[in-house]
Amino acid sequence: MSGELKESPLKAVHEELGGKLVPFAGWNMPIRYGSILEEHAAVRETAGVFDISHMGQFVVTGAGASAWLDGVLTNHVGALGDGEGQYTFLLNEAGGVIDDLILYREDAERFFLVVNAAKIAEDWAWMQGRLIEGVDLEDLSEDFAAMAVQGPEAVKVYAGMVPGAELPPRNGIVRVEHEGQELIVCRTGYTGEDGFEFFCAAADGAAWLRKTIAAGARACGLGARDTLRLEMCYPLNGSDLSPERTPLQAGLGFFVKLAKGEFVGSDVLAKQKEEGLGGRLVAIQCLGKGPPIRGGAEVFSAEGELLGVLTSGTLSPSVGLGIGLAYLPVETAKIGTELAIDVRGRKVPAQIVKKPFYKKA
Amino acid sequence: MNVPESFRYTSDHEWVSIEGDIATVGVTDHAQEELTDVVFVELPDAGRAVSKGEAIAVVESVKAASDIFSPVTGEVTEGNAAAEGEPALVNTDPHGTGWIFKVRMSDPSELDGMMNAAAYRELIS
């Protein structure tokens, strides 16, 4: 990422709250305000709010929008009703992941897409290059501030923010009018907890962040967002997803609907399904206390053979053990397989476990 | 920020406390606040011969691993097993029970190059 860092519309509030800002995906974003462990715990136990203004928003409109989107994305857009959403992938011709995103159908001719910050330009160029007559694509990323409110008390925070407004069902989207301002509210998240993401005019963002905090949410940074998502095995594009790996290899075939008809990359995925995946993204957990395992660490078999490299890794605050993800050859990618992770030359014993690492009690 | 008067400090944000020829070493309050949430401490073995500036311990937070350097030449006499067992001590009591290791110094003149509390306060201000 070159050039100047972009600043969040919520920056003034981050600074007031003592947020530590660091470069992330071309943006200057809060990695934490105080303790990452406490922010993590707040989301698991009460509610936290994350600035996600770096993420991009596209709107696709037109009579042919649904069918066109089904030709460029992996999940089945045609299966959605009004106000419903789905997790999906934008693939390259080789079936590799350009981006993972969430798509919402507002109505039959209007779709709202939330894409990764680092991929806005690439997604845009890829989709723009495939546009057809009767479909319009608009990038509204600059217009919005965005926040994710996550945790068992997220519903309570919502009631405090916008009294009387209804929350959409899981994966749903609604537009809410409040004191002359419009919010787009989506019932989704990246933490494994109940919660919602909302989008407002960039200029109103700072006031909305203060409202979520006044309503009981703790400001949380990207550090906690990463430990929370990794405990759920939610992939991070650029780390766990890449143009060289397909969603099937990432274990996310549920969001790939080959039966819906052809889409970019579908031929490669169909072939891979038939001939075998080669590699598979597995969840790896350390057997005991030890140093945290981190992305980039080499993964060895119990016999000492190099099998792969961690794409993500951390110390799970909820589980209390090192956790990570790695693409391993399918023949070794079985639950219970013992492994050794290299940490500064020391082999840390670990094993493949069932996803996710964290299950709610 | 707590900067005890009696300690010496390094530009790596470590503190050194001297008793006879034993140097006790830890990370400063400022360093632990930058690190946040220490979750793992790796200690040097007692008896290990170390040189000034050598990385001999590791303190890991949720986000990153940081080397801890021996500020003096000598022999390690002890690593802090309490901090190894409860890494959060490095955050809660960095200048006390959260110390990292002790070294028997072979060249006490090495202390002369270190900062006093006033100079360290200046560095982190």
Side-chain angles (χ1 to χ4, degrees), chain A residues 58 68 72 90 121-132 135-139:
Chain A
F58 294 170
W68 177 76
V72 290
L90 186 68
E122 199 179 334
D123 292 357
W124 171 262
W126 183 261
M127 294 174 84
Q128 188 69 34
R130 283 164 179 75
L131 269 190
I132 55 165
V135 180
D136 279 312
L137 172 65
E138 230 184 319
D139 178 2

Side-chain angles (χ1 to χ4, degrees), chain A:
Chain A
M1 194 64 53
S2 61
E4 261 178 56
L5 287 178
K6 291 190 176 177
E7 297 293 354
S8 163
L10 314 182
K11 187 183 180 191
V13 187
H14 298 323
E15 286 177 340
E16 267 169 47
L17 297 171
K20 191 175 164 64
L21 303 178
V22 300
F24 178 82
W27 289 70
N28 195 27
M29 298 297 286
I31 188 158
R32 61 181 177 83
Y33 299 84
S35 153
I36 292 176
L37 294 180
E38 286 175 18
E39 290 169 18
H40 181 105
V43 172
R44 289 276 179 255
E45 290 158 19
T46 56
V49 57
F50 301 88
D51 181 3
I52 54 165
S53 299
H54 56 306
M55 298 192 79
Q57 295 81 34
F58 294 170
V59 169
V60 179
T61 52
S66 181
W68 177 76
L69 284 163
D70 259 329
V72 290
L73 297 170
T74 61
N75 210 333
H76 192 190
V77 181
L80 292 176
D82 289 354
E84 294 178 351
Q86 62 189 195
Y87 179 65
T88 187
F89 297 98
L90 186 68
L91 303 183
N92 60 31
E93 308 279 3
V97 176
I98 297 173
D99 204 3
D100 62 332
L101 57 135
I102 300 185
L103 171 145
Y104 301 93
R105 170 172 148 152
E106 293 200 81
D107 61 49
E109 299 189 7
R110 186 178 174 90
F111 296 84
F112 187 70
L113 280 60
V114 181
V115 307
N116 280 301
K119 294 291 176 173
I120 295 172
E122 199 179 334
D123 292 357
W124 171 262
W126 183 261
M127 294 174 84
Q128 188 69 34
R130 283 164 179 75
L131 269 190
I132 55 165
E133 193 71 22
V135 180
D136 279 312
L137 172 65
E138 230 184 319
D139 178 2
L140 300 181
S141 305
E142 301 284 328
D143 298 0
F144 289 113
M147 282 150 265
V149 178
Q150 301 279 296
E153 292 178 8
V155 173
K156 211 162 88 187
V157 173
Y158 189 67
M161 274 170 64
V162 279
E166 240 176 277
L167 256 182
R170 181 91 197 135
N171 293 327
I173 185 171
V174 292
R175 286 180 184 251
V176 173
E177 286 286 328
H178 183 80
E179 294 172 356
Q181 294 179 12
E182 187 182 54
L183 298 185
I184 299 174
V185 182
C186 305
R187 189 78 170 269
T188 182
Y190 194 44
T191 63
E193 300 297 330
D194 187 16
F196 58 95
E197 297 181 348
F198 69 96
F199 305 85
C200 63
D204 301 332
W208 280 110
L209 177 53
R210 289 193 180 93
K211 277 183 204 174
T212 64
I213 292 167
R218 177 177 179 143
C220 296
L222 294 172
R225 194 167 161 80
D226 192 55
T227 52
L228 288 158
R229 70 93 193 165
L230 191 51
E231 286 185 347
M232 297 308 299
C233 296
Y234 294 158
L236 174 65
N237 195 11
S239 297
D240 313 308
L241 301 174
S242 83
E244 287 79 40
R245 296 290 186 177
T246 72
L248 302 182
Q249 292 173 318
L252 297 165
F254 179 78
F255 308 99
V256 174
K257 302 286 156 56
L258 288 169
K260 74 173 177 172
E262 278 184 27
F263 54 89
V264 177
S266 62
D267 51 335
V268 178
L269 298 193
K271 197 163 165 234
Q272 200 169 64
K273 213 164 186 175
E274 202 169 295
E275 295 177 358
L277 298 176
R280 195 174 165 81
L281 189 67
V282 299
I284 297 169
Q285 184 169 305
C286 292
L287 294 178
K289 301 265 178 218
I293 56 175
R294 302 186 193 274
E298 292 184 328
V299 180
F300 294 87
S301 69
E303 293 74 36
E305 185 196 351
L306 178 62
L307 299 177
V309 169
L310 290 184
T311 52
S312 286
T314 192
L315 184 98
S316 162
S318 304
V319 179
L321 296 170
I323 58 171
L325 300 173
Y327 286 95
L328 299 187
V330 281
E331 57 277 16
T332 61
K334 292 184 179 66
I335 287 162
T337 300
E338 296 211 2
L339 302 166
I341 315 298
D342 184 284
V343 178
R344 297 186 289 274
R346 190 208 300 187
K347 297 286 194 291
V348 176
Q351 67 173 336
I352 300 178
V353 297
K354 196 168 181 299
K355 297 177 186 175
F357 296 107
Y358 173 75
K359 289 141 199 121
K360 259 199 128 42

Side-chain angles (χ1 to χ4, degrees), chain A residues 20 31-32 34-37 226-227 290-292 294 314-315 344 346, chain B residues 33-40 42 58 60-65 67:
Chain A
K20 191 175 164 64
I31 188 158
R32 61 181 177 83
S35 153
I36 292 176
L37 294 180
D226 192 55
T227 52
R294 302 186 193 274
T314 192
L315 184 98
R344 297 186 289 274
R346 190 208 300 187
Chain B
E33 199 165 291
E34 288 295 310
L35 289 166
T36 73
D37 302 323
V38 173
V39 293
F40 183 76
E42 190 171 292
V58 179
E60 297 209 37
S61 69
V62 177
K63 291 307 288 179
D67 285 326

